[in-house]
Amino acid sequence: LNMSRSVVNISEHLSCPLGFGHYNAVDVCILETVVIVLLTFLIIAGNLTVIFVFHCAPLLHHYTTSYFIQTMAYADLFVGVSCLVPTLSLLHYSTGVHESLTCQVFGYIISVLKSVSMACLACISVDRYLAITKPLSYNQLVTPCRLRICIILIWIYSCLIFLPSFFGWGKPGYHGDIFEWCATSWLTNAYFTGFIVCLLYAPAAFVICFTYFHIFKICRQHTKEINDRRARFPTHEVDAAGETGHSPDRRYAMVLFRITSVFYVLWLPYIIYFLLESSRVLENPALSFLTTWLAISNSFCNCVIYSLSNSV
């Protein structure tokens, strides 16, 4: 009886966005807490593992994309650390100015970190495109200094693009509102959403689609040419050329393509709901919560794809 009373007392202080009614309030709050705590643990543990592997394997630094992959790992790690905020807020309900400030800062940080991941994926696709289309001049085009400058610009751009949300122009994109102030007082804005889509989501998606389309098209052409040469001149030299051709680049591109595909599969429902809510077409707390944390779960999925797709 005392335990049941404690659960009821805790539920009164929980801020749960999934409005399924008073009867299921406790179960919903417990479910939310379990989902958020589990994702937080997986994201932090997974990305710490990725960072540890890069630290202990210097050979991985020979790949230029390792700069972007490590940046994504740090960004995703910070996402996991930031997720501790809503986890604690489920058990420590706050009101007033502190809640609004916490909500704004948390939404801004999550949006910036995921923007960094999205921009890094676009840069990785451009890097692989240059590696395959310009193999002879690639080392002169892509240097460690330029890569570091690119990463710095990614962070600056991501910080600036969501900054208007602090001046009352819309919501940066965080839904699934654990904080009551976020759900009731901080509303999305159609113009700000369009601004984010035009300057972040759409350009990144276009660059990724363009580069990977041409990457696989070029790889297919090279594979066909190599097979034709093998059929016409079945010599040891041709076989050796075929073995050292573009197949490693193709395999590497496939790993990165899987990472990018999973990213957009998990983020597409969130982006669609973001657009619909901003246009006042749809407003559903359950969908808001599910799409938000489905998108945030991508921070852990990258670690799984690394391990399943590439033994190195």
Side-chain angles (χ1 to χ4, degrees), residues 76-93:
D76 289 336
L77 175 63
F78 292 144
V79 168
V81 174
S82 300
C83 288
L84 293 173
V85 176
T87 303
L88 295 175
S89 74
L90 285 171
L91 300 175
H92 298 82
Y93 183 78

Side-chain angles (χ1 to χ4, degrees), residues 11-300:
S11 68
E12 291 175 355
H13 295 281
L14 291 174
S15 176
C16 297
L18 303 186
F20 292 134
H22 178 73
Y23 181 75
N24 293 325
V26 176
D27 292 337
V28 169
C29 291
I30 292 174
L31 177 62
E32 287 182 19
T33 306
V34 169
V35 169
I36 296 173
V37 171
L38 180 61
L39 279 179
T40 301
F41 171 77
L42 291 176
I43 291 170
I44 293 175
N47 286 285
L48 280 177
T49 303
V50 173
I51 294 169
F52 177 76
V53 168
F54 272 98
H55 178 73
C56 296
L59 290 177
L60 291 177
H61 294 280
H62 293 170
Y63 295 96
T64 55
T65 49
S66 69
Y67 288 86
F68 296 113
I69 292 175
Q70 289 182 83
T71 302
M72 288 173 56
Y74 279 107
D76 289 336
L77 175 63
F78 292 144
V79 168
V81 174
S82 300
C83 288
L84 293 173
V85 176
T87 303
L88 295 175
S89 74
L90 285 171
L91 300 175
H92 298 82
Y93 183 78
S94 59
T95 58
V97 178
H98 296 293
E99 183 185 357
S100 63
L101 181 61
T102 304
C103 173
Q104 285 183 308
V105 172
F106 175 73
Y108 175 78
I109 290 175
I110 288 288
S111 299
V112 168
L113 293 174
K114 298 317 297 179
S115 172
V116 169
S117 294
M118 193 174 295
C120 282
L121 289 173
C123 289
I124 286 173
S125 68
V126 173
D127 176 81
R128 291 299 87 200
Y129 177 77
L130 292 175
I132 289 179
T133 57
K134 300 182 183 296
L136 298 180
S137 58
Y138 174 77
N139 290 330
Q140 287 74 37
L141 290 172
V142 182
T143 63
C145 180
R146 290 178 179 177
L147 288 172
R148 293 188 184 98
I149 293 173
C150 182
I151 291 172
I152 292 173
L153 292 176
I154 286 173
W155 280 98
I156 293 175
Y157 183 78
S158 299
C159 290
L160 291 177
I161 195 173
F162 291 102
L163 202 57
S165 63
F166 276 108
F167 300 98
W169 191 31
K171 207 174 186 178
Y174 172 68
H175 301 283
D177 302 309
I178 301 300
F179 307 99
E180 185 180 6
W181 187 89
C182 282
T184 59
S185 303
W186 199 15
L187 302 178
T188 53
N189 182 290
Y191 294 105
F192 182 70
T193 302
F195 172 78
I196 296 298
V197 169
C198 292
L199 293 185
L200 179 62
Y201 297 151
F206 174 78
V207 168
I208 288 169
C209 291
F210 175 85
T211 52
Y212 278 113
F213 172 79
H214 284 84
I215 285 171
F216 291 121
K217 182 180 178 181
I218 292 169
C219 288
R220 203 179 307 114
Q221 290 174 349
H222 281 283
T223 302
K224 183 180 178 182
E225 290 173 2
I226 290 170
N227 291 334
D228 290 342
R229 290 180 64 186
R230 280 178 175 173
R232 293 164 61 184
F233 308 103
T235 63
H236 177 72
E237 294 180 358
V238 175
D239 290 339
E243 290 175 359
T244 59
H246 287 267
S247 55
D249 286 330
R250 180 182 174 86
R251 286 196 298 270
Y252 193 40
M254 277 299 298
V255 173
L256 300 172
F257 179 71
R258 290 190 194 106
I259 294 170
T260 306
S261 300
V262 170
F263 182 92
Y264 277 96
V265 167
L266 295 176
W267 272 82
L268 189 59
Y270 170 82
I271 295 172
I272 292 173
Y273 182 83
F274 188 21
L275 291 170
L276 293 176
E277 187 186 88
S278 301
S279 305
R280 304 295 183 265
V281 175
L282 176 64
E283 188 171 348
N284 187 302
L287 282 178
S288 177
F289 179 84
L290 293 174
T291 55
T292 296
W293 291 97
L294 182 66
I296 291 177
S297 69
N298 176 78
S299 298
F300 166 71

